[in-house]
Amino acid sequence: MSDDSAQLAVPARELLEKLIGCRSVTPKDGGALDLASQHLQAAGFACERLDCRGVANLYAQLNPSQQPALVFSGHVDVVPPGDDAAWSSPPFVATERDGNLYGRGACDMKAGVACMIAAACAYARNPESGSLALMLTSDEEGEAVSGTRHIVETLAGRGSRFAYGIIGEPSCARQIGDTIRIGRRGSLVAQIEFTGVQGHIAYPARIKNPIEALAAAICLLKKREFSAPEGLEPTHLTFVSVAADAGASNVVPRIARARLGIRNSIADRGADLMSWVEESLATFDCQCSCSWRTYSQPYLGERDGRLVKVLTKACESLHGCTPALSAGGGASDGQFLRRICDEMVEFGCVGESMHKVDEHVKIADLGALAATYLHCARSLLA
């Protein structure tokens, strides 16, 4: 373990334990941002609340007039824990077991927040010439309208811009340092409805079966293979629900419905995918309607920028691995932050347990992650 890792492990863990104790089910922060503000103000950061429509947001900055500027970004809200009885320990009580720290949000992403704050406070004791900032929200797991999006719009209105941005989402696959996210796929959802002719199954000439049309449509859409830029995840199409029932075993229903989710890479425009789906559905002998909702647009950042190079070297020297560059996973607040950052990545803890029962993070990873953030701040702002 490096000297920085050892020094940062204790404050990162102590802060994470307190954050897990905050019942911050989205969009509530449960007092987590007051806790963050206390630590950052004590370290010399100027803290500002940018709350919006009941959502708590915090913006903190050190040496705001200096350049270059680096911003750490994260969220303190969590998904609901589900049935508390299914957990091995209370979801909002940080519990150590087998070298892990358990609790809702431990992985996604209170560990990242705790490590960013620990690193920022350590950096503030001996800052470089640039400016370090943090933006934290309680609206990422929900609608994601009044959180980072609002902070970014506010800062953009002030003319603020950053050379570098790091989001502390759980990016790594198996160990700290094995993955850097340089982009994300977009997110599209379609509600599909086939309308046929209801009737008795003994008289097939008198009916038009929407279930069979829907089943054929699913097979047709799933046949398509997608490509993506080298090393990145391709577009992925998945049906997540199907419903059709006339209430009796001898009656074909009139309507069959399905919900389709698409995660599209930068290689596939959302508008093109929507047109392809609708044109494919129109080939079947049943009336069909399709309504869409776009949750996020795909983006791809710099592969060879200074931020990726500095972070890669940090992973190699601190963790002994060369990180893969990824643009997969679900939507994140990167879709907003990239508007005011010249270069941006996502880098955090191992994400295997996010949103699961008994969510957890390796205690040994906390000091390592905080040391990585501190290394990046010192290198990028020097």
Side-chain angles (χ1 to χ4, degrees), residues 54-173:
V55 170
N57 298 309
L58 175 66
Y59 179 66
Q61 191 164 17
L62 186 73
N63 301 329
S65 62
Q66 298 187 27
Q67 292 295 328
L70 163 67
V71 60
F72 289 127
S73 176
H75 66 89
V76 298
D77 59 318
V78 300
V79 297
D83 182 5
D84 286 11
W87 287 67
S88 301
S89 52
F92 292 106
V93 176
T95 304
E96 180 179 352
R97 190 167 61 252
D98 301 324
N100 298 314
L101 199 62
Y102 287 79
R104 176 54 88 218
C107 170
D108 188 14
M109 59 162 283
K110 290 181 176 180
V113 171
C115 291
M116 287 190 297
I117 293 174
C121 292
Y123 173 85
R125 291 194 288 268
N126 186 24
E128 300 290 347
S129 59
S131 175
L132 179 62
L134 291 91
M135 58 174 69
L136 302 175
T137 183
S138 63
D139 182 33
E140 195 275 346
E141 297 290 5
E143 293 297 320
V145 172
S146 303
T148 300
R149 177 178 175 177
H150 172 70
I151 301 174
V152 166
E153 289 173 348
T154 300
L155 296 179
R158 298 173 182 175
S160 299
R161 190 159 186 87
F162 301 90
Y164 313 106
I166 298 176
I167 299 179
E169 288 282 3
S171 64
C172 296

Side-chain angles (χ1 to χ4, degrees), residues 7-331:
Q7 293 173 6
L8 291 170
V10 173
R13 174 177 175 167
E14 291 177 346
L15 181 53
L16 176 56
E17 290 177 343
K18 294 177 182 178
L19 289 172
I20 290 174
C22 298
R23 291 180 172 268
S24 54
V25 175
T26 190
K28 305 298 183 183
D29 81 307
L33 292 190
D34 286 339
L35 180 63
S37 183
Q38 291 169 12
H39 283 264
L40 292 167
Q41 283 184 324
F45 283 79
C47 294
E48 178 183 8
R49 289 293 288 265
L50 295 175
D51 297 357
C52 177
R53 292 186 286 273
V55 170
N57 298 309
L58 175 66
Y59 179 66
Q61 191 164 17
L62 186 73
N63 301 329
S65 62
Q66 298 187 27
Q67 292 295 328
L70 163 67
V71 60
F72 289 127
S73 176
H75 66 89
V76 298
D77 59 318
V78 300
V79 297
D83 182 5
D84 286 11
W87 287 67
S88 301
S89 52
F92 292 106
V93 176
T95 304
E96 180 179 352
R97 190 167 61 252
D98 301 324
N100 298 314
L101 199 62
Y102 287 79
R104 176 54 88 218
C107 170
D108 188 14
M109 59 162 283
K110 290 181 176 180
V113 171
C115 291
M116 287 190 297
I117 293 174
C121 292
Y123 173 85
R125 291 194 288 268
N126 186 24
E128 300 290 347
S129 59
S131 175
L132 179 62
L134 291 91
M135 58 174 69
L136 302 175
T137 183
S138 63
D139 182 33
E140 195 275 346
E141 297 290 5
E143 293 297 320
V145 172
S146 303
T148 300
R149 177 178 175 177
H150 172 70
I151 301 174
V152 166
E153 289 173 348
T154 300
L155 296 179
R158 298 173 182 175
S160 299
R161 190 159 186 87
F162 301 90
Y164 313 106
I166 298 176
I167 299 179
E169 288 282 3
S171 64
C172 296
R174 293 180 177 84
Q175 71 170 87
I176 289 289
D178 68 9
T179 307
I180 299 172
R181 293 203 184 279
I182 59 171
R184 288 277 187 169
R185 291 180 296 182
S187 177
L188 301 169
V189 173
Q191 298 285 349
I192 298 169
E193 182 175 292
F194 275 100
T195 302
V197 177
Q198 180 175 318
H200 198 296
I201 64 171
Y203 302 95
R206 301 175 185 175
I207 61 176
K208 185 178 292 185
N209 196 329
I211 297 175
E212 294 174 356
L214 176 57
I218 292 173
C219 292
L220 175 62
L221 294 175
K222 290 294 292 182
K223 283 182 179 179
R224 178 169 173 177
E225 295 183 358
F226 297 93
S227 59
E230 182 179 356
L232 302 180
E233 294 181 39
T235 293
H236 181 67
L237 178 152
T238 302
F239 281 85
V240 297
S241 69
V242 175
D245 187 8
S249 61
N250 60 351
V251 181
V252 169
R254 176 173 172 268
I255 292 175
R257 298 183 178 91
R259 182 176 298 167
L260 168 66
I262 299 177
R263 294 293 186 268
N264 59 305
S265 79
I266 197 73
D268 298 301
R269 294 176 62 248
D272 294 338
L273 289 170
M274 288 188 283
S275 295
W276 163 68
V277 169
E278 292 173 3
E279 290 168 2
S280 299
L281 297 177
T283 62
F284 294 93
D285 187 26
C286 272
Q287 179 183 340
C288 182
S289 64
C290 185
S291 60
W292 293 91
R293 181 170 179 182
T294 302
Y295 287 89
S296 63
Q297 299 292 340
Y299 65 89
L300 185 63
E302 290 285 340
R303 290 172 176 263
D304 300 316
R306 185 169 181 232
L307 176 55
V308 169
K309 291 179 179 178
V310 166
L311 186 50
T312 296
K313 288 183 179 179
C315 292
E316 291 172 343
S317 62
L318 296 176
H319 314 306
C321 59
T322 299
L325 302 183
S326 168

